[in-house]
Amino acid sequence: MTSTLYRRGVVHSSADPFAEALVVEDGTIVWIGADDTADGLADRADEVVDLDGALVAPAFVDAHAHVLETGFALEGVDLSAAAGVTSLDAALDAVHAAAEEVRAAGGERAGLPLLGHGWDEAAWPEGRAPTRDELDRAAGGAPVYLARVDVHSAVVSTSFAEALGLPALRGWRDDGLVTLDAHHAARDAARDVDAARRDALYARVLRAAAASGIVALHEHSAPHVDTREGLVALLAMTADARSGLPHVAGYRAELCVTIDDARELLAAIPGLTGIGGDLSVDGSLGSRTAALRSPYADAPAGSEHPSGVLHLDAGRLSNHVAAVTRAGSHAAFHVIGDRAMDEVLVGLRAAVDVEGVGAIRGAGHRIEHASMIDAPTLAALVLLGVRVSAQPAFDAAWGGPGGMYARRLGEGRSDALHPLADLAAAGIPLAFGSDSPVTPFDPWGAVRAAVTHHAPDQRISARAAFRAHTRGGWRAAGLDDTGAGEIRLGAPAHLAVWRAEHLTVQAADGRVSAWSTDARAGTPLLPDVSPGAPAPRCLRTVRAGVVLHDELA
């Protein structure tokens, strides 16, 4: 039996809002209280941690991530604005430098495609993606695959395209931009790695997540981003806290027609949490492949798909939901556009006609992203018991006047995107994630984005956002029955320790709160996430008492 006493800090606990210390014993929280009563516990503890005023809080859960894809992004050419790539010319310079480095190094890397990630032409002054001719010149003819920031399209070099026969596939454009089938084929080839390299990438990503205060994440695996075998390996390597890695809740995006399909998948991937996740009903707004009721405001003249692309119809959605429900699991769907959401609701209602509303509500089916929700849709989601996994960082990155969303949809439609306050007020269970590598692991950034949403009426309190990014993640995966995501007696010790300059209680700007922001009211404190406030620094991440990341030692 091992125990750790954390003392002389601030403990974020609704069970004891004024707590300054806690004890973890064999992975479970066994005591919470004031520091002046902790002296008698110090001698019995195997480890005593002096927090020196730091905050101990439930660790974060990232409810939507792609581990292997994130690994490739960490390893490849970073073409994001955060890396200083703010123009087309800068992107081509980065590709040229990387290709020269590979050529000089030689070895096995020279035979592999040059991978890049994170470009966003909407933020570049040129307003367009690189062409394959430009990639050919920049890389000296080497094979190149550069994924757009949303990972729903890419640009490829001529040698890469010809080797795979991409020009013959749906979604190919002569300038090297690939979407749909052409992109899936390109992405499959770019992500073809052996097991040893794959597992090393998994471990690298999970350590980065732990360093961000993330104790668990939902892996949204799909045939176009990873294999079944890869997901089995990922779940096995993270099944036990003693691995030193965050817990992984696994989702697999394979469409089921019958209950036998669902049962076969559950048997093939032991420990699978849900069937779906990145089971895409449509694409993305950035790539203009999200399925909309009305055409894109900036659809190119003569566009083949001016309103985006619907990948799944209501009949297949209904069959999948019914099969997964009968198998005792839950479904999850990638849904961005309003037309795609309409199709999902038709499918869910058809499944209700077969399985009954109680079975569908009780299953806890999920929608990932849910970017476009109007009032009738919101009401239907409530009635059907649907949970929503949202990404507040999307609004921070692409929302607001002049942002990518406004260019794609026009100011009117874009103002209604990501209605977090409406979802929360309706009582829809919310979980927050990054969709990494689309946006990075930055849970406090997500909390800030929810508090400072570009639409003032869609802002939520820091407390609500924090719960969506902690307890909400466990709940969305059906793993909240042990009290995970809270600091209370008997709950698993999934904790993060933070150094923050200011601790406060923050209501959303202009919103009426049902709880007092006065510290004397006993509402648990959180770091200041207002614009310009310093980001909290993660000092330790703990999973069931096991330290995953440590800067306290």
Side-chain angles (χ1 to χ4, degrees), residues 227-294:
T227 62
R228 281 191 182 186
E229 293 75 17
L231 182 55
V232 170
L234 178 61
L235 296 180
M237 76 161 56
T238 59
D240 195 306
R242 289 171 296 183
S243 66
L245 299 171
H247 172 81
V248 173
Y251 286 79
R252 182 67 179 173
E254 294 189 29
L255 193 67
C256 297
V257 177
T258 68
I259 187 174
D260 290 337
D261 295 335
R263 286 173 174 165
E264 185 275 329
L265 189 57
L266 291 168
I269 305 176
L272 190 66
T273 297
I275 303 179
D278 238 28
L279 194 54
S280 296
V281 181
D282 64 345
S284 73
L285 292 170
S287 294
R288 299 190 190 87
T289 52
L292 308 180
R293 294 170 181 163
S294 303

Side-chain angles (χ1 to χ4, degrees), residues 103-168:
R103 191 172 292 112
E108 64 179 16
R109 287 184 62 196
L112 299 174
L114 179 66
L115 307 183
H117 169 79
W119 60 270
D120 184 0
E121 84 292 349
W124 291 347
E126 298 88 350
R128 66 172 179 85
T131 67
R132 65 186 173 104
D133 289 341
E134 290 169 332
L135 290 186
D136 292 345
R137 290 193 294 271
V144 181
Y145 167 90
L146 305 181
R148 193 182 184 279
V149 64
D150 56 15
V151 203
H152 282 268
S153 60
V155 287
V156 298
S157 67
T158 299
S159 59
F160 188 77
E162 290 179 348
L164 298 175
L166 300 184

